[in-house]
Amino acid sequence: MPEGPELHLASLYVNRMCDGVIFTGPVQKSEVSKSPDVPFTCEAYRITATSRGKEVKLRLTPIKSDDPKQTVKAGQADQPMDIVLRFGMSGYFRFTTEDELPKHAHLRFFSKEKPCRVLSFVDARRFGSWQPSGTWQTSRGPCIMFEYKSFRENVMSHLSDRAFDRPICEVLLNQKYFNGIGNYLRAEILFRLNIPPFVPARNILEGLESEDIHEKEKPVKNEIKNTKSSDRANQKRVEGETGDLLRLCHTVPLEVVSLGGKGYDPEKADYSDFEAWLQCYYVDGMKSVRDHNGRTMWFKGEPGPMVPKDSKSPKAKKRAKKEDDHDYTNKKKVSRSRSESTAKKKVIKQETATKTAKKDARAKEAGSKRRKTESIQEVNTPQHEKRSSARRRKSSSAEPTAAVLFVAGPQRRSQRVTRQKGK
C-alpha cells in the first residue's frame, strides 16, 4: 500500500510532468469507478499537486484570458477546484499519450496539445477514492514528514487517549496520530529502535519530550549509537536522538523520499534501491505475525506481551512489483498460472476422453466382426461334421465311466471272497 513517502513522490511526479502543460475539456471518470464525478469543465487550466500524510490534493486552476472583453462561457469553470485523492492499495499517477492510456485509469485529465496527452489516476484494485472540492480529512493528524512539530505535539498531548492502550505496532497505523505511517514504515522504525512490536504504546511514548531537542540537528545514523565515545554528554545526545520513536517517524520516511524516483516512478518502475534500503520488511531471517487487525507485522526477536493469542505467521509471499499497473502482489500471476493449469487439465481430459471413445469404438467394431465370422462359420459347416463332433463328445464322456467299472469289478469280487473266508 502506498504510504506517506510514496504519496509525496506522486505529487512531485505530477508537478514535474504537468509543468507548462495546459489541460482542457471535462475531467473524465471511468464507468466502473464508484467514486463521484468531477464537475469541472474548462477551456484551459493547469494542474498542480501537494501531499499531506496519506492524501494528495490536485488543484485545477483555470487560465484567465488577458482580454477583458472575453467572458467565460456557460458551463465553464472560472474558479480553482481541489480534488483530494487517497490511493488505497494500488493507486498511482501516469502521464501518457491518449493511445497508451493504462487499463485501470479511473480519473483522466486531457491536455490541449496535439497529439493529446493524459494525466490519469490508475488504480487496479479500485480501493482508492477522490473527493471533488475536497479538503484534507479532519480525522487525520498532521503529516509526519512536513508538519513534524504539530505531529509531535498532537501525539504527546493525547497520550491519555485509549488508543495508546494498544500495542505500539497497531498505534503506528492510527492515522489520527501517525498520518503517513503504513505497514513497511512501522516495521522499519521499530526494528531500528529494537522495540518489540507488541508492547503497550504508552510505555514507549510517555518517556519522550514534547519538543524534539535534536530537531535542528542532522539525523544521526543508528551505527553511531554503538560506537565508544569518551564524551558522555555527546553519547547521551546520540542515544536520545536514535531512541526517539517520534523522531524516527519523521526521518525514516524522509529517507525513502531521498531515494527519489527509485521509490516512486511509474515510467521506470525501478525498485532495486528501495528493496536494498529495507532492513526488516519482507527481509529474509525476520519474523512475521498478524496483529489484532489482521495486518502482517515484520520484526526481529520477541514479539512482546500483547501479541495476539494463537497468532500464526502468514505464509511467505514474494514481494512482486508490477511494471504495468503497480500491483504490489503476485495475485495476477497466480490467477494466470491457475487458469493456464486449468486449461491444460481440460485439454488433457478432452484428449483422454477422445482416446477412450476411440478405444471403445475399436473394441465394439472388433466384437461385431468376431460375431459375424462365427455366425458365417456355423452356416457353412456340414451337418455330418456337427454329428461326428457330437459323437466324439459322447464317446469321450463315456470312456472314463467304462474304465472305472472295469477296474472296480475285480475289486468287488475280491472283497466278497475275503468276507466268505472270514466267515
Side-chain angles (χ1 to χ4, degrees):
M1 178 179 182
E3 303 180 18
E6 285 73 37
L7 270 76
H8 177 63
L9 290 168
S11 68
L12 297 180
Y13 172 83
V14 171
N15 291 335
R16 184 174 72 252
M17 302 305 293
C18 298
D19 184 25
V21 179
I22 299 176
F23 294 84
T24 187
V27 178
Q28 293 185 8
K29 186 195 80 166
S30 67
E31 295 178 356
V32 296
S33 176
K34 295 181 180 179
S35 293
D37 293 325
V38 178
F40 184 89
T41 301
C42 187
E43 189 68 26
Y45 66 95
R46 298 188 184 278
I47 298 179
T48 55
T50 54
S51 71
R52 182 179 185 266
K54 284 193 177 184
E55 294 179 299
V56 170
K57 181 188 291 183
L58 295 183
R59 169 156 287 191
L60 315 183
T61 306
I63 300 175
K64 296 181 179 180
S65 175
D66 295 333
D67 188 358
K69 296 180 179 180
Q70 189 173 358
T71 58
V72 179
K73 296 179 181 180
Q76 298 284 315
D78 60 347
Q79 295 296 324
M81 173 184 280
D82 291 336
I83 305 173
V84 177
L85 296 99
R86 299 165 194 98
F87 281 25
M89 291 291 290
S90 58
Y92 65 98
F93 286 114
R94 283 288 300 273
F95 193 57
T96 63
T97 63
E98 194 171 8
D99 295 335
E100 297 174 340
L101 195 67
K103 179 180 179 181
H104 302 286
H106 297 303
L107 196 63
R108 306 156 193 166
F109 308 85
F110 296 85
S111 70
K112 198 171 184 178
E113 60 196 345
K114 291 183 180 181
C116 175
R117 289 188 291 174
V118 187
L119 174 69
S120 56
F121 175 67
V122 187
D123 186 11
R125 298 189 179 186
R126 281 186 274 166
F127 289 162
S129 62
W130 57 80
Q131 180 184 1
S133 303
T135 57
W136 304 124
Q137 279 187 327
T138 56
S139 59
R140 294 177 180 268
C143 178
I144 53 171
M145 294 182 292
F146 305 111
E147 299 172 326
Y148 175 52
K149 187 174 181 180
S150 300
F151 151 69
R152 190 180 183 95
E153 291 176 354
N154 184 46
V155 172
M156 297 305 296
S157 62
H158 290 88
L159 287 181
S160 59
D161 195 320
R162 292 179 58 184
F164 295 93
D165 295 339
R166 301 180 67 84
I168 184 63
C169 66
E170 296 176 11
V171 174
L172 285 175
L173 297 185
N174 189 336
Q175 300 301 296
K176 181 178 180 181
Y177 300 106
F178 296 88
N179 185 13
I181 298 291
N183 213 21
Y184 83 80
L185 281 176
R186 68 169 178 174
E188 295 299 318
I189 292 167
L190 294 178
F191 172 78
R192 297 186 186 200
L193 296 174
N194 198 24
I195 296 176
F198 294 95
V199 295
R202 190 177 291 106
N203 293 359
I204 302 297
L205 297 170
E206 62 185 357
L208 301 179
E209 300 291 335
S210 297
E211 294 184 5
D212 186 356
I213 58 176
H214 306 292
E215 183 179 0
K216 295 182 180 180
E217 300 172 7
K218 294 182 179 180
V220 181
K221 294 183 179 180
N222 294 345
E223 288 79 10
I224 299 177
K225 178 181 175 181
N226 300 323
T227 59
K228 294 182 179 180
S229 175
S230 57
D231 189 353
R232 293 183 179 180
N234 184 54
Q235 180 70 16
K236 187 175 181 180
R237 179 189 67 79
V238 171
E239 290 181 356
E241 182 174 355
T242 55
D244 191 330
L245 184 140
L246 295 180
R247 179 165 178 79
L248 262 70
C249 287
H250 168 64
T251 58
V252 172
L254 290 177
E255 290 180 17
V256 181
V257 173
S258 68
L259 296 175
K262 299 298 179 68
Y264 179 93
D265 192 344
E267 301 298 331
K268 297 180 181 179
D270 182 6
Y271 301 95
S272 57
D273 284 6
F274 175 73
E275 291 176 353
W277 173 84
L278 292 171
Q279 300 179 28
C280 179
Y281 185 72
Y282 266 100
V283 174
D284 292 338
M286 299 297 160
K287 301 177 183 178
S288 64
V289 297
R290 296 194 186 279
D291 62 18
H292 293 89
N293 299 317
R295 301 290 302 277
T296 303
M297 179 65 213
W298 292 83
F299 64 99
K300 182 179 180 180
E302 295 299 321
M306 300 182 74
V307 64
K309 293 181 180 179
D310 302 325
S311 60
K312 296 181 180 179
S313 177
K315 293 182 180 180
K317 296 180 181 179
K318 291 183 179 180
R319 185 173 63 252
K321 306 295 184 185
K322 301 286 286 184
E323 293 185 5
D324 295 335
D325 56 10
H326 280 223
D327 185 2
Y328 298 133
T329 67
N330 56 358
K331 184 177 180 181
K332 288 189 177 181
K333 291 184 180 179
V334 173
S335 61
R336 263 193 214 123
S337 61
R338 285 178 180 170
S339 61
E340 288 174 1
S341 62
T342 305
K344 288 180 180 179
K345 288 179 181 179
K346 286 182 179 179
V347 171
I348 292 169
K349 286 182 178 180
Q350 288 175 356
E351 291 178 354
T352 307
T354 305
K355 289 179 180 179
T356 307
K358 287 181 179 179
K359 286 182 180 179
D360 293 342
R362 289 173 184 171
K364 287 181 180 179
E365 186 177 354
S368 62
K369 285 181 180 180
R370 189 168 54 253
R371 285 192 294 272
K372 285 180 181 180
T373 53
E374 288 176 355
S375 61
I376 292 169
Q377 287 176 356
E378 289 178 359
V379 171
N380 296 333
T381 303
Q383 290 184 357
H384 69 271
E385 289 183 2
K386 290 184 179 179
R387 288 172 184 173
S388 62
S389 62
R391 285 172 186 170
R392 279 197 300 271
R393 284 195 297 272
K394 285 183 180 180
S395 62
S396 63
S397 61
E399 285 175 0
T401 307
V404 170
L405 290 174
F406 178 77
V407 174
Q411 289 180 352
R412 287 176 182 172
R413 285 196 296 272
S414 65
Q415 287 176 358
R416 289 174 188 171
V417 172
T418 305
R419 279 200 290 272
Q420 287 177 359
K421 286 182 178 182
K423 289 178 179 180

